[in-house]
Every structure is written in C-alpha cells, then in structure tokens.
Amino acid sequence: MPELPEVETTVRGLERVLLGRRIERVEARRADLRRAFPQDLGQRLTGAKVSALGRRAKYGLIHTDRDDTMVFHLGMSGSWRIDHPSLEKHDHLLIETDEGRRLTLNDPRRFGSVDLVPTRELQDWPALKALGPEPFDVTARDLRDRLGGRSAAIKLLLGDQRIIAGLGNIYVCEALYRAGIHPKRPGGSISLERLDKLVLAIRSVLQEAIDAGGSTLRDFISPDGELGYFSKTFAVYDREGRSCACGGTVRRIVQGGRSTFYCPKCQH
Ligand SMILES: [Zn+2]
C-alpha cells in the first residue's frame, strides 16, 4: 500500500515529466476508480500547462495554468508509470504531454481516486480541509494541544488524519519505536519532551524513506516505468518474533483492527 514516502517519490517523478509541459491528451479508460472520474476531466485538462506539482498527506497534486488542480490518491494499489511500452488491463487513466511522454495510472484494486478541484478552492475541498498538519510541519506543542486530554492509545491517535496528516500504519509503528514510546500509552499523557522526540522520529522515518525512494529515482524509471515503489527496511514493522537491536523481541498486538509492532524493552 502506498504510504506518504511513495506518494512523495511519485510526485517528484511525475514532476520531471510534467512540470511546464502541456497536456495533449487525456483518456479515462473506464468510468471510475473508487468514485467516478470527473466527466469533464479531458475537456479541462487537454491543452492545459502543468504549472506545479505538490503533495498534501497522501494526495498528489498536479496544478495547471487553468486554475484547476488534479488531485490523485493511490488508494491500496495505485501507481503511475512513465512511457510504459504497452497499455495494460489496469491502466485506467492515460495522459500524454506535448513532448510525447505517456503517463498511465495503474490501479488493480481501484481504491484510488482522481478529482479536479479549482486551485483556489483546494484548501476548502472537504477531503483536504479535514486534515491535520503535515508531519514535516507539526511541532511538539501542536501535537500536545491536539493530544491534550485524549485517553486513546497514541498509536491510534497518530493514525487519525485529523490530528496529523498522512501517517500510515508502518510509519506510526516505526516512529513510536524510534521515540521509545509504547503504542498503548494514552496520547494525552505524553510529556512535551517526549513529544519533541516523537516529532523528530516521525520526520526522520519519513525522510529516510523519501531519500530511499529518491535514490531509486536517480535512474528515474525502473524497467517497467513504475514510480514510487521501493524496498525499505524497518526496525519493528512486520518483524514479530524477531530480535530488536536491543536484544529484546519484537511483539505484535492488534489495535483498532490493525497490527502494531513494537519492542517492549525499548518502548515505555
Ligand atoms: Zn528493543
């Protein structure tokens, strides 16, 4: 499942092909993903010039000179491919640039989405408006205010997109491990000093993954032209029963229906 680092890497890869280019052709190859493609997608994007790209939480943003922004979400299995030689069954959206580059959005499970939002209304677009601050912007004081009085487990609170945006299960587990915080600890009980460590841990686990993705972008495109996916190593995630660096054993518990991995010796 694409997490924030994959989305960030994807956006940086798309930027190399799209920034400053005019979109020459848009073809939705089915009516919908998780929801319908905008009916006027082709009409509004064809001929538009891409003026900037960005990311908010796990949404990729492609801004155009027509004051429209295409907002995409990769869902569970989405990926963009560049100049893939042939169209495949799950290539649901095709974009061609004035340089003849071809981008395809592939999404076998179709939990992703594509929307067109007037750029000046982006801040108020419901899915974005509800989001908390970006992990790279949030401060320990912010987090303290947002967690204040909350008795729910910190693991669950960090996964709440209204508290902090864009953190998925993997990076919540890894950040709590790196900050030495037990995943069941009530959110409101964590000191400012420890939240400081947590904020740094969140940033560093994400940044390391983004850097790893960036190094795969150096050759730009993997043989199949897929953007954003790269192998990563984790300290605790998906390592139940294996050794932690401290000599302890990584445990798995279930919180809110999802697996949490942690080290009982390192996290309190
Ligand atoms: Zn440990």
Side-chain angles (χ1 to χ4, degrees):
M1 184 160 136
E3 297 247 16
L4 187 150
E6 284 85 358
V7 179
E8 179 69 26
T9 306
T10 295
V11 167
R12 292 179 186 188
L14 291 175
E15 192 170 45
R16 299 187 186 194
V17 175
L18 281 178
L19 186 62
R21 305 317 318 171
R22 215 165 274 289
I23 295 172
E24 213 150 81
R25 197 165 88 84
V26 178
E27 183 191 342
R29 305 186 70 238
R30 55 174 293 122
D32 58 0
L33 295 177
R34 159 173 254 161
R35 52 180 174 269
F37 284 112
Q39 284 196 337
D40 54 359
L41 186 72
Q43 189 194 336
R44 277 162 71 183
L45 288 183
T46 306
K49 192 172 172 181
V50 175
S51 53
L53 288 93
R55 176 190 59 73
R56 174 75 171 108
K58 295 209 291 182
Y59 291 91
L61 309 173
I62 301 174
H63 305 292
T64 74
D65 63 351
R66 290 188 181 161
D67 193 36
D68 271 327
T69 296
M70 187 180 125
V71 183
F72 68 86
H73 195 286
L74 297 173
M76 307 280 286
S77 60
S79 66
W80 283 95
R81 289 168 189 196
I82 296 183
D83 298 335
H84 199 247
S86 57
L87 280 175
E88 290 181 3
K89 187 176 170 199
H90 301 294
D91 288 343
H92 303 309
L93 182 70
L94 172 71
I95 292 178
E96 284 174 7
T97 72
D98 55 359
E99 287 187 314
R101 306 303 293 273
R102 181 161 82 165
L103 306 167
T104 42
L105 177 59
N106 184 280
D107 190 355
R109 298 183 64 184
R110 299 203 309 269
F111 280 100
S113 60
V114 170
D115 293 280
L116 260 186
V117 182
T119 308
R120 70 174 77 109
E121 292 168 21
L122 210 50
Q123 300 274 353
D124 295 318
W125 193 56
L128 298 187
K129 194 176 180 174
L131 294 171
E134 283 290 310
F136 291 105
D137 297 338
V138 79
T139 65
R141 282 171 195 281
D142 269 347
L143 215 44
R144 182 187 59 185
D145 293 345
R146 289 166 179 274
L147 297 173
R150 302 291 295 264
S151 57
I154 184 65
K155 161 74 196 304
L156 297 175
L157 293 169
L158 291 179
D160 181 340
Q161 302 298 298
R162 293 165 298 186
I163 292 177
I164 180 169
L167 281 188
N169 199 34
I170 294 175
Y171 294 100
V172 170
C173 292
E174 292 292 308
L176 286 174
Y177 168 74
R178 201 170 280 195
I181 296 172
H182 196 285
K184 282 187 173 171
R185 181 171 275 280
S189 75
I190 304 172
S191 69
L192 187 61
E193 194 187 350
R194 301 192 78 194
L195 290 177
D196 250 327
K197 270 184 106 169
L198 178 59
V199 165
L200 292 175
I202 289 169
R203 286 184 198 160
S204 64
V205 294
L206 290 173
Q207 190 59 52
E208 285 165 23
I210 290 169
D211 291 346
S215 64
T216 68
L217 273 187
R218 202 167 298 141
D219 326 315
F220 188 26
I221 298 171
S222 57
D224 69 348
E226 188 177 39
L227 287 181
Y229 288 79
F230 42 89
S231 58
K232 287 158 295 203
T233 51
F234 299 113
V236 287
Y237 184 79
D238 208 17
R239 289 178 53 86
E240 182 183 14
R242 297 174 66 182
S243 297
C244 171
C246 73
T249 302
V250 175
R251 281 203 197 148
R252 184 180 76 93
I253 52 173
V254 175
Q255 291 177 284
R258 311 281 309 269
S259 290
T260 299
F261 299 89
Y262 74 105
C263 173
K265 272 178 87 178
C266 292
Q267 294 173 254
H268 306 278

